[in-house]
Amino acid sequence: MKLQKRQRKLSGRLASGAVLTLGLGALSAAMPQSKPSVPATSVQAFLKANCIACHNPSLKEGKLDLTALPLRLDDPKIFATWVKVHDRVQLGEMPPPAATLPKPAARAAFLKNLAAPMQAVEAARVKREGRAVWRRMNRYEYENTVRDLLGAPWLQLKFILPEDGVSARFNKVGTALDVSHVQMSRYLDAANVALKEVLAQGVARPETTTRRYYAREQRSFAGLVEAGFAYSDATARATFPILGEAADLPVLEKKGPMTVGEKDPDKREREALGVVASAYEPIQPEFDRFHAPVSGRYRLRLRAYSFWSGADNEKQWWRASRTKISRGRTQEPVTLYATSHPQQQRRLGTVDTGPDPAVRELDVQLLKGESILPDAARLFRSRPPADDPKRKITTGWHTPLATKEGQPGVAFQWLEVEGPLYDTWPIAGVRLLCGDLPVKAVGGGQLEIIPKDPEKDGARLLRGFLPRALRRPVQPTDVLPYEKLFQSARRSGASFTEALLAAYSGILCSPDFITLEEKPGPLSDFALATRLSYFLWNTEPDETLRSLATQGRLKDPKVLAAQTERLLADPRSRRFVEAFLDYWLDLRKTADVSPDETLYADYYLDDYLVESAVEETQAFFRELLHKNLPARNIVSSDFVTVNDRLATLYNLPNVQGATIRRVPLPKDSVRGGLLTQASVLKVTANGTTTSPVLRGVWINERILGLTVPPPPASVPAVEPDIRGATTIRELLAKHRTQPECRSCHTKIDPAGFALESFDVFGGWRDRYRGIGEKDGKVELGFGKNGQPFYFHAAQPVDSSGTLPDGRRFADIREMKRLLGRDERGIARNLARQLVTYATGAPVQFGDQAQLEAILSRAQPSGYGVKSLLHQVIASDLFRNK
């Protein structure tokens, strides 16, 4: 306890230093260094002729009085207002079309006279302070960095840390990543967890074994079958014993054992347990006789196959029969989860099963104590029925996959686990923490590093650990605080191991470790290595980058470009794609809202669809990146990246299996690009209804790069009519009659209207769904939960609209063609997002010229996505603080 307090005390002092440094940086940025002014005569003349009539003390259109706006740029708030004035005039939004428009020459002169001093102010600030503030790692970066530093990819640390702030859409912008005592305390907790888990790997090398776990011998599988014996109409009835391609009648009739076990090895290999419903906790199949003995890498081999379950009788053809089993007719995906208790699940991967028994393999990282839960992903999620007299429908389960000939199922035979697997021993983290010193268990779960000379060994290990942790060469003065912490702990009675871990923890929560330190001006080779690695890998530089930085070669443009290619080709670049899309497109929110159980029960509980939708968008962006496809594909492409579940949603034939792959689209398809992907359409809906406003704002901001101001607080939101009596278009037409709403909704609504042909999860629709029945008519469906639901076909969908520039479109196809014509605009927005994500600072007014230069250099490739990324990295925006 005393040692922990000492750790926290040191961390608190270091955290206070980080807060002070960051605070002084922010204060310095706000303080006027000079008093530049705009050429008053020409600018005021333009404003008087074109703007003051509306933006005066009486009218204050848009809450802006230009007569009271000082012509000085040293104040950040005043500067930001002038940026808005400049941009709205440049975009042609002001003066409004109804006004007498200024001549092009007058507009150009105004923009030039206003822009020049503003750019000069920004250039001086950047030279003095740099574009970006000194920022800390976000929690994703911290977890990846500690994992890679200690060679422990199984570590789960980000959930220990608080949620990160977001600015300019990303969790990498320094101004939003505060450093508080709470934050530092959590960093210390995460560091202690990581160090103890890695140290535990150094006691003795665990034996690598290969063990097979038969499904019929698992407590959970057998329990489901027994429940089915006792309650023939219960959910568990959907789990039953199979022998080859037939029901195992002796077991069903309780005349034989659940498994013959080792008495008959040949028969044991043919035994299986079949499921036609993937049940929810607590009645779910689990290979619960396996628990990972230690954290680490394992190889899983699942033997399973699909089968066909006939109907009990012609009137109940949707029900599973435990006796009418035959050869499978479909390919069924199975998702494997790591599970621990209390119930927590981590998705490990998805494999396909076909009619022939086969072994599917996954390499995974498991935590100590986790077991494996298989989920027959396409099968419905069974749940006890709930009678609802208002529905006038007999409750009971009904799989949507059923036909009058029966329904598919999955037969699980066994799971084989090989591991833990090691490339080297001891693992890299143990070698880094302990050097050549042995680790022993000393009882009570305690571990001790056994030193030869405690003082010398402690100093030697800290001097070896610090350069790796700090990602740069260190001086003796850098090591001194941690040596003092180690010595202080020793004098207080701490053991060698406790003292050493206290010092290591202090390093892992110190400002030197958790912040990405950069000085104004060109980045040093080590800072450039760090920026590149945290851009494309979200982690520390590897040995190759550190070596190039030591040699002073990384600033060479050819070397930097080659390293960019190397990092992109590495599997760790998936971290960039996932994190970038999580925040640019809000992909991290895909599972935040469940589809409504009443209106959209066909999507409710469909984890396979949610997971596939996220993978589609990630795979699509990787395709654009690695094939260097033009940025216009963001809006419209002639292909999609889908698996069987998404192909069913998109009505694309002949796609089987869980693997996401590139699929060409038929001519004039409504799909293609980001706008019509399930993940995007789900994250822009609330699960019950869709809103052209939400989707329109999303397209304007995420794809077109246009800023949409928040709605006035006095104006209530438009709530769609879930009864289906009134369309959202009709409601918005009334909304736009309010002057304070009209100007923004003219830009927002059209793009949103085009997406109204897609429901809350991206399924195509010609009519809205209305709750309940209408005129005695009702449409019946069966949900993923196996329960019936009903709705009526309400008002028809109208997906036409008019863009702000007057161009009309009839549907999503035409709108995408219109938007896709502005290739440079689409590429500009993507480049802005990449710059913000890569540098930790949004594109500022003074960065516009460099941004346009990036676009011009990428233009010969058709604004290829990889070309844009390369040009961002080659630019001064990236190579300077």
Side-chain angles (χ1 to χ4, degrees), residues 36-315:
S37 62
V38 180
T41 304
S42 59
V43 170
Q44 287 180 334
F46 182 90
L47 295 176
K48 184 176 181 180
N50 301 283
C51 308
I52 299 299
C54 295
H55 300 287
N56 56 52
S58 300
L59 297 179
K60 288 187 179 180
E61 287 284 345
K63 297 183 179 180
L64 175 63
D65 176 11
L66 287 174
T67 66
L69 185 63
L71 287 172
R72 52 193 297 272
L73 304 174
D74 53 305
D75 185 301
K77 291 184 179 179
I78 295 175
F79 186 94
T81 303
W82 280 114
V83 169
K84 292 178 182 178
V85 171
H86 175 279
D87 290 350
R88 297 203 70 184
V89 173
Q90 185 180 52
L91 291 170
E93 297 176 354
M94 288 291 159
T100 302
L101 299 180
K103 293 181 179 180
R107 184 192 298 268
F110 167 77
L111 292 172
K112 180 180 179 181
N113 289 329
L114 184 58
M118 293 172 68
Q119 290 168 346
V121 168
E122 287 239 309
R125 180 187 63 79
V126 169
K127 183 178 180 180
R128 185 174 65 250
E129 304 163 7
R131 288 183 64 255
V133 301
W134 186 25
R135 78 167 179 91
R136 65 167 174 83
M137 298 177 193
N138 61 42
R139 60 185 193 148
Y140 297 91
E141 293 168 331
Y142 187 87
E143 178 180 80
N144 288 331
T145 301
V146 175
R147 283 177 173 179
D148 293 346
L149 174 67
L150 300 180
W154 66 84
L155 288 171
Q156 301 291 317
L157 303 177
K158 64 176 176 284
F159 301 108
I160 300 174
L161 303 174
E163 285 279 359
D164 296 304
V166 174
S167 178
R169 198 156 294 120
F170 290 104
N171 65 338
K172 282 179 173 269
V173 177
T175 53
L177 295 173
D178 63 324
V179 183
S180 66
H181 289 288
V182 172
Q183 191 84 36
M184 295 307 302
S185 176
R186 296 289 185 86
Y187 276 129
L188 183 59
D189 291 340
N192 285 332
V193 167
L195 291 169
K196 289 176 181 178
E197 285 204 30
V198 171
L199 188 61
Q201 298 275 331
V203 177
R205 177 168 182 162
E207 180 185 2
T208 296
T209 62
T210 301
R211 294 179 180 172
R212 186 171 294 179
Y213 300 87
Y214 289 89
R216 290 212 198 172
E217 295 173 354
Q218 304 307 300
R219 292 182 291 268
S220 64
F221 278 103
L224 290 176
V225 175
E226 292 297 330
F229 289 156
Y231 307 103
S232 61
D233 291 327
T235 302
R237 183 178 185 272
T239 303
F240 40 82
I242 295 177
L243 191 63
E245 294 180 358
D248 196 342
L249 292 178
V251 179
L252 278 172
E253 295 170 356
K254 299 185 180 181
K255 296 179 180 178
M258 178 63 69
T259 175
V260 295
E262 297 178 359
K263 296 178 182 179
D264 188 344
D266 291 336
K267 184 177 181 181
R268 189 189 201 190
E269 289 299 312
R270 291 185 295 121
E271 290 178 343
L273 276 174
V275 299
V276 292
S278 185
Y280 249 114
E281 190 271 335
I283 49 170
Q284 58 190 5
E286 178 183 340
F287 286 97
D288 54 8
R289 291 194 181 276
F290 163 75
H291 294 277
V294 296
S295 298
R297 183 166 71 93
Y298 292 81
R299 186 168 294 120
L300 306 181
R301 301 182 185 94
L302 177 71
R303 182 175 171 88
Y305 58 94
S306 65
F307 65 88
W308 194 256
S309 174
D312 286 326
N313 56 63
E314 292 184 3
K315 292 183 179 180

Side-chain angles (χ1 to χ4, degrees), residues 599-801:
L599 270 179
Y600 290 100
D602 40 346
Y603 300 139
Y604 182 65
L605 303 179
D606 198 340
D607 293 344
Y608 182 41
L609 178 56
V610 175
E611 293 160 355
S612 298
V614 172
E615 288 188 337
E616 174 194 13
T617 305
Q618 293 169 347
F620 178 78
F621 189 79
R622 283 197 298 272
E623 187 79 3
L624 300 188
L625 178 61
H626 294 295
K627 299 287 181 62
N628 198 27
L629 299 181
R632 64 175 178 269
N633 284 275
I634 289 172
V635 168
S636 182
S637 64
D638 60 3
F639 70 94
V640 289
T641 48
V642 297
N643 60 9
D644 55 352
R645 181 65 187 90
L646 290 165
T648 299
L649 180 69
Y650 297 166
N651 197 27
L652 299 173
N654 304 319
V655 178
Q656 293 187 351
T659 302
I660 298 284
R661 83 295 305 262
R662 177 170 173 158
V663 175
L665 287 170
K667 187 178 180 180
D668 211 30
S669 171
V670 297
R671 303 293 172 175
L674 290 174
L675 306 185
T676 53
Q677 291 182 4
S679 63
V680 168
L681 293 164
K682 183 177 187 298
V683 86
T684 55
N686 66 10
T688 303
T689 59
T690 60
S691 167
V693 177
L694 294 179
R695 285 177 169 174
V697 168
W698 191 93
I699 292 174
N700 273 273
E701 293 189 339
R702 310 306 169 99
I703 305 301
L704 305 181
L706 303 176
T707 301
V708 178
S714 59
V715 179
V718 178
E719 295 294 339
D721 177 11
I722 62 173
R723 298 168 301 170
T726 307
T727 67
I728 185 66
R729 181 183 288 267
E730 293 168 335
L731 294 171
L732 283 171
K734 295 179 180 179
H735 196 66
R736 285 197 301 274
T737 60
Q738 303 178 60
E740 62 267 41
C741 302
R742 188 184 307 114
S743 61
C744 286
H745 280 274
T746 300
K747 292 190 297 183
I748 295 170
D749 295 350
F753 285 143
L755 296 184
E756 279 298 278
S757 292
F758 302 93
D759 65 24
V760 298
F761 215 136
W764 179 264
R765 64 185 177 191
D766 294 306
R767 304 179 75 93
Y768 295 99
R769 285 185 185 181
I771 194 168
E773 61 182 53
K774 182 180 181 182
D775 301 328
K777 295 182 179 179
V778 64
E779 295 196 24
L780 173 65
F782 290 91
K784 177 73 174 176
N785 58 5
Q787 302 302 308
F789 70 101
Y790 73 108
F791 58 93
H792 69 269
Q795 300 286 344
V797 172
D798 180 359
S799 59
S800 64

